[in-house]
Amino acid sequence: MEIIYGRNRKEQPEPVRAKVTGKIPAWLQGTLLRNGPGMHTVGESRYNHWFDGLALLHSFTIRDGEVYYRSKYLRSDTYNANIEANRIVVSEFGTMAYPDPCKNIFSKAFSYLTHTIPDFTDNCLINIMKCGEDFYATSETNYIRKINPQTLETLEKVDYCKYVAVNLATSHPHYDEAGNVLNMGTSIVEKGKTKYVIFKIPATVPEGKKKGKSSWKHTEVFCSIPSRSLLSPSYYHSFGVTENYVIFLEQPFRLDILKMATAYIRGVNWASCLAFHREEKTYIHIVDQRTRQPVQTKLYTDPMVVFHHVNAYEEDGCIVFDVIAYEDSSLYQLFYLANLNQDFKENAKLTSVPTLRRFAVPLHVDKSAEVGSNLIKVASTTATALKEQDGQVYCQPEFLCEGLELPRVNYTHNGKRYRYVFAAGVHWSPVPTKIIKYDILTKSTLKWRETDCWPAEPLFVPVPGAKDEDDGVILSAIVSTDPQKLPFLLILDAKSFTELARASVDVDLHMDLHGLFIPDMDSEAKKQATSEEPQDGASDCHGTPPT
Ligand SMILES: CC1=C(/C=C/C(C)=C/C=C/C(C)=C/C=O)C(C)(C)CCC1
Ligand SMILES: [Fe+2]
């Protein structure tokens, strides 16, 4: 497993032409842009956790049946400082680092205690976010980095704090049809007012506002939800939306602000400031996007840990939402590199399998409904919401299926009724071994797997003019541990899950986390843009750099 997770990868900044077998659909034109950790040692120093690794961006550009690959390390301030010092000098999720070895521990403690929380890393390794015409590499701190989606070059650093009062923000924003970004973050520095903030970044500068100003300046706070515990807000990796509502799970997997404030002096990492409180409830917050107010009903469910929301929609006065949930927080523990070694089968055993759970919550509680009665009348789910004596509502999910992570849906169905979940297949180990299509209606599963192949998150791309939800393809970057087999971009027909094509590349492909697909501009504009490109005559697979 070290081959997959712990090894430093060589970047490939010049495009390499892939060897394509099978046939790539003619309509599939664009760039799959993805992010993930690629470097886990700097000089003699080593990160402890897979989520610490320096961000390595990579892309597969698909054009006229050909595929070009490139990869480039994000030149974050963190990357540059580490490379210059030839050691890890910036702290990450699982590794605490000290910038200045000359200072003694007390001066360090003093300088950090003057700020509640020290400056976080800009090593944005988790996802890619589209904001108007711009693309950003993202993580969960207050920093994101603008990138050039074609050349993968690193551009300016954006600090969320300048536009909205958050110190942490998710790397799983949602997009509406106009491309506006809806995201959530936590404000932890104002100790008396620890809160979760839902905010919207417009795709363009709003009409009537001075032209030329960045749309970031028009970021609006939608709603703030005070944290139940001021010194220990919930950690969350994503949230859900429907057409009119936002779903936020305040789960008992919490950050301890006091522990964070003293982490440097104590020499412990950020991860140790996170704890799962298995005796506590998970509170379900629903925010109405139209009134920007939280729904007043107190909704809760059993303790659980959720990283990924899958999708959500409204049905008959209820909100139905699907998440991948765990019984504990062992997932983050398993990604310590010490567990991802040869004995990973023993060391990296999840103590709880990820399960796809469907919740249904009532938007209104009928005053005349009896205590103990189930408020969910939706026939399509067995999820329940029981009215309690004190007016609270206890929600119990329907268990749909288990053994899946990194879920994706056809994004045109985001927030709406949907039927298919595409995901990576994992079981008692966090290492994906297959790609799954789960049909919520028939509760059936289609799978793709191949020996010694380790798939990444599967991404659905719809065929233009698609009629069915699964009219399109699945793209997944596959890492191979068979020395005879190159890594490849896999293209599956999303309906049948049969392989349409694979594009093998002789490069050091890394296991990544998340990304997006950027469809090419319309064909006329594309012709103009590519008319000046030289002809591809390379036989060594180093083809024409795609624009
Ligand atoms: C650096 C840093 C953080 C980083 C978290 C990361 C990097 C999480 C990655 C999560 C992933 C990849 C989950 C996949 O399911 C915290 C804890 C937010 C807060 C303190 C500073
Ligand atoms: Fe994620």
Side-chain angles (χ1 to χ4, degrees):
M1 278 311 105
E2 278 139 340
I3 324 174
I4 299 186
Y5 287 104
R7 194 167 52 77
N8 287 357
R9 304 290 163 156
K10 199 169 161 288
E11 63 180 3
Q12 176 59 58
E14 294 309 317
V16 172
R17 185 148 56 100
K19 186 173 178 298
V20 177
T21 49
K23 196 166 172 358
I24 297 177
W27 59 265
L28 187 64
Q29 309 264 346
T31 298
L32 172 69
L33 176 57
R34 300 186 55 82
N35 200 352
M39 194 189 286
H40 287 90
T41 59
V42 183
E44 296 293 298
S45 57
R46 174 176 284 275
Y47 286 120
N48 299 321
H49 201 278
W50 188 58
F51 297 169
D52 297 343
L54 293 170
L56 180 52
L57 303 164
H58 62 165
S59 67
F60 292 88
T61 297
I62 307 167
R63 181 158 306 156
D64 302 328
E66 295 287 356
V67 176
Y68 299 87
Y69 175 85
R70 55 176 133 198
S71 67
K72 204 164 170 50
Y73 278 101
L74 185 79
R75 271 24 182 213
S76 57
D77 293 354
T78 298
Y79 176 97
N80 292 335
N82 286 344
I83 298 298
E84 197 184 314
N86 195 34
R87 68 180 185 93
I88 297 163
V89 288
V90 181
S91 300
E92 300 291 341
F93 175 74
T95 307
M96 192 48 87
Y98 294 94
D100 189 351
C102 307
K103 283 189 186 168
N104 69 42
I105 185 82
F106 298 106
S107 66
K108 236 182 311 176
F110 179 76
S111 62
Y112 286 116
L113 278 177
T114 52
H115 307 91
T116 322
I117 304 290
D119 205 14
F120 286 137
T121 178
D122 69 338
N123 173 32
C124 302
L125 76 153
I126 305 183
N127 203 355
I128 310 284
M129 168 166 101
K130 184 174 194 291
C131 212
E133 293 306 306
D134 300 328
F135 291 85
Y136 296 86
T138 65
S139 182
E140 297 189 350
T141 69
N142 55 310
Y143 293 120
I144 58 174
R145 288 302 301 230
K146 191 168 167 179
I147 53 164
N148 178 323
Q150 270 90 39
T151 62
L152 307 184
E153 267 159 348
T154 305
L155 305 169
E156 60 263 28
K157 173 162 148 177
V158 172
D159 181 356
Y160 272 121
C161 295
K162 281 198 180 150
Y163 308 102
V164 54
V166 292
N167 310 94
L168 305 169
T170 86
S171 63
H172 286 288
H174 287 274
Y175 304 92
D176 65 14
E177 265 150 36
N180 300 310
V181 179
L182 193 66
N183 203 0
M184 268 197 81
T186 308
S187 173
I188 56 174
V189 285
E190 291 172 83
K191 282 190 290 303
K193 300 186 200 130
T194 309
K195 59 187 177 195
Y196 310 104
V197 183
I198 303 170
F199 57 94
K200 187 176 185 172
I201 313 157
T204 50
V205 176
E207 204 62 42
K209 305 275 176 190
K210 231 170 113 199
K211 277 254 146 40
K213 283 250 172 80
S214 124
S215 61
W216 280 93
K217 296 221 166 74
H218 302 282
T219 302
E220 274 180 89
V221 170
F222 239 71
C223 182
S224 294
I225 303 170
S227 169
R228 284 188 77 82
S229 158
L230 295 180
L231 288 172
S232 195
S234 272
Y235 168 82
Y236 51 100
H237 180 73
S238 64
F239 62 103
V241 293
T242 68
E243 287 177 301
N244 297 300
Y245 297 90
V246 171
I247 300 121
F248 166 57
L249 295 178
E250 193 174 17
Q251 55 188 3
F253 184 31
R254 300 196 270 112
L255 282 162
D256 184 320
I257 299 181
L258 291 181
K259 282 192 175 164
M260 288 178 86
T262 54
Y264 266 91
I265 337 165
R266 295 182 299 120
V268 299
N269 60 20
W270 299 131
S272 73
C273 308
L274 264 169
F276 178 55
H277 302 266
R278 58 180 72 247
E279 66 296 343
E280 290 177 18
K281 296 170 177 168
T282 299
Y283 294 92
I284 304 169
H285 297 274
I286 308 287
V287 174
D288 190 327
Q289 297 192 42
R290 295 155 301 184
T291 60
R292 302 187 170 194
Q293 295 298 320
V295 167
Q296 286 312 312
T297 317
K298 295 269 171 292
L299 304 154
Y300 74 92
T301 183
D302 294 323
M304 61 177 180
V305 174
V306 168
F307 301 105
H308 294 112
H309 281 251
V310 181
N311 202 0
Y313 58 90
E314 295 154 36
E315 185 176 359
D316 293 339
C318 286
I319 285 183
V320 175
F321 69 90
D322 299 339
V323 295
I324 309 276
Y326 296 80
E327 297 296 328
D328 61 33
S329 59
S330 66
L331 181 80
Y332 276 11
Q333 205 56 36
L334 299 187
F335 278 102
Y336 276 100
L337 293 169
N339 292 330
L340 296 167
N341 53 20
Q342 295 100 319
D343 307 321
F344 91 101
K345 285 208 174 92
E346 274 313 303
N347 298 339
K349 261 201 193 125
L350 282 163
T351 47
S352 107
V353 225
T355 50
L356 175 60
R357 298 183 197 177
R358 167 156 290 186
F359 286 86
V361 299
L363 283 166
H364 308 282
V365 177
D366 185 355
K367 285 214 173 66
S368 61
E370 263 179 60
V371 168
S373 67
N374 179 14
L375 302 166
I376 305 301
K377 305 283 178 257
V378 179
S380 62
T381 179
T382 58
T384 57
L386 305 180
K387 186 173 166 181
E388 295 192 332
Q389 194 84 52
D390 57 2
Q392 294 201 39
V393 176
Y394 170 47
C395 303
Q396 277 181 306
E398 172 182 359
F399 286 76
L400 291 175
C401 82
E402 60 175 41
L404 71 178
E405 248 303 352
L406 303 170
R408 298 292 298 227
V409 299
N410 175 341
Y411 206 74
T412 52
H413 286 256
N414 192 48
K416 303 188 182 111
R417 275 177 202 241
Y418 78 114
R419 178 167 169 184
Y420 303 110
V421 181
F422 303 101
V426 288
H427 221 72
W428 291 103
S429 143
V431 187
T433 49
K434 44 188 175 287
I435 308 174
I436 286 178
K437 174 187 183 183
Y438 177 70
D439 181 338
I440 300 173
L441 191 68
T442 62
K443 304 215 166 24
S444 58
T445 309
L446 291 179
K447 293 185 181 116
W448 177 93
R449 74 180 302 165
E450 206 168 281
T451 321
D452 297 325
C453 285
W454 312 91
E457 170 197 59
L459 209 131
F460 176 83
V461 183
V463 60
K467 285 198 185 67
D468 295 337
E469 187 183 324
D470 56 352
D471 275 343
V473 296
I474 292 296
L475 303 180
S476 182
I478 314 284
V479 170
S480 151
T481 43
D482 173 352
Q484 304 305 317
K485 193 186 282 176
L486 293 177
F488 55 96
L489 171 71
L490 175 70
I491 306 177
L492 296 179
D493 171 45
K495 220 177 237 309
S496 62
F497 246 44
T498 50
E499 181 173 332
L500 294 174
R502 65 174 67 185
S504 303
V505 272
D506 193 0
V507 296
D508 202 7
L509 196 81
H510 62 303
M511 191 72 161
D512 63 15
L513 279 163
H514 299 294
L516 44 71
F517 184 75
I518 312 168
D520 265 358
M521 330 163 244
D522 62 274
S523 46
E524 207 33 54
K526 194 186 87 192
K527 255 188 234 148
Q528 281 177 17
T530 51
S531 60
E532 276 156 37
E533 274 182 17
Q535 285 299 296
D536 177 9
S539 55
D540 62 351
C541 278
H542 280 75
T544 310
T547 49

